[in-house]
Structure formats: C-alpha cells, structure tokens
Amino acid sequence: MASEITYAEVKFKNASPAAVVEVPPETKKHEHHPQKYSPWLPWLISLLLLLVCIALIIALLGRGWTCCPKGWKRFQGSCYYLSDDTMPWADSVQNCTGMGSHLVVINTKAEQVFLTEEVRHSALGFNHYIGLSAPVVGQWQWADRTPYNETAAFWRSGEPTNVTVEKCVVIHKMSNIRNWNDIRCEHHYRICEAAAVTV
C-alpha cells in the first residue's frame, strides 16, 4: 500500500522574522590617474644637484676665493684703495705702507684703463698719486723698485715737464687714458695697491 506524503507549514509563536543581512552599498572605485612624471625623476634631480654641489666645491677649493679688504677695489690679482683724504707724497707713501700696501705701480694698459675709470668715477679731487717719482730730475722710478719702462708710460700730452719742483706723479681725473702728470709733491689723493688675498 502506498503512503501519501503530506506537507504542512509550521509557524512558531514568538519566533523572530528571518534575519535580514544588510550589504553595504558598493563602494565607488577610485579612478586611477597616470603619474605625470616617472617615479625616478625626483631621484635624478637630487643626483644632479649633488653633482653640481660637488663640482662647485672642487672648483672653489682648487682655485680659492680672491678677496680684498673692505673699501678696496679688486682688479685681476690686486686690490686698490682710492683715498678720501689728501696728504703730501712722503705721507702718502707711509700711509699705504701702514696698510700693508704701496702707492700703485702700473704695469699694463689694462690696469691703467681700470684706474682711469675708477678715478673718473670718484667724487673726489682731480689728482691721485701713483707710485712713480723722480728723486733726480728725469730719472723716474716706481715705489716698489719695478724698473720704469718708457714704452708702458701714460703721460699726458706735454708731460713730464721734468722740472726740479715736480718730482711726483699723479693720475689726472679729467684726462683720457694718457693722464699721468708730474706735479709738486704737495697734498693730493692717493691710490694704494696690495696683492689680493686668496683663501
């Protein structure tokens, strides 16, 4: 004999409804932006900066700094001081010596051009002593005993006059590059020269 299967729905009292699992809404995926530069670029820039710094250090240590005292002007390997007061020749010589220098000795045309421009732009007087004098009339000598070279002289037209009372030499402000003038050894401005210091 065949049996019948009967299905029944059973409900329990005080039973909780089926648990509902809440699923969070799907999070929005972040958009991926490609980088505008390669990831190694900052390292490359750092390396280049390091190499530049090393090159500068090598250049500076190998060559050194060339400097002059405050208030002095540097040109090539020398420092120049244009005074702001006047004195006679002998006092000018001593003043420069007291500063570890000497009245300027002009050796080249480039140096003469540089000094001419410095004197021309100075707000002070017209005459600046250089280190050239004639203890004996017509026998010019430099203060540091550098031999006097007639071909490297920059006398004004008609100079030197080679007279007994004019034994000292100045650069005259209102002249072109040929501006040396022999003059009385009275109160004038001065130009001192010293070797530039390399540190």
Side-chain angles (χ1 to χ4, degrees), residues 132-135 137 140 163-169 182-185:
L132 190 61
S133 65
V137 174
W140 300 103
V163 295
T164 306
V165 294
E166 295 184 348
K167 295 183 176 182
C168 298
V169 180
D182 59 342
I183 200 166
R184 293 175 182 266
C185 302

Side-chain angles (χ1 to χ4, degrees), residues 105-174:
V105 174
I106 301 170
N107 299 305
T108 64
K109 181 177 181 180
E111 186 178 23
Q112 172 68 15
V113 168
F114 167 76
L115 292 171
T116 297
E117 287 302 310
E118 289 298 316
V119 168
R120 186 174 290 147
H121 291 103
S122 168
L124 303 174
F126 290 97
N127 295 315
H128 289 74
Y129 278 130
I130 62 174
L132 190 61
S133 65
V136 176
V137 174
Q139 295 181 14
W140 300 103
Q141 66 182 30
W142 289 105
D144 72 345
R145 305 290 181 222
T146 297
Y148 172 69
N149 181 356
E150 184 67 42
T151 61
F154 300 93
W155 294 103
R156 289 176 71 188
S157 178
E159 300 292 344
T161 55
N162 287 322
V163 295
T164 306
V165 294
E166 295 184 348
K167 295 183 176 182
C168 298
V169 180
V170 294
I171 286 180
H172 186 70
K173 182 175 186 170
M174 300 308 289

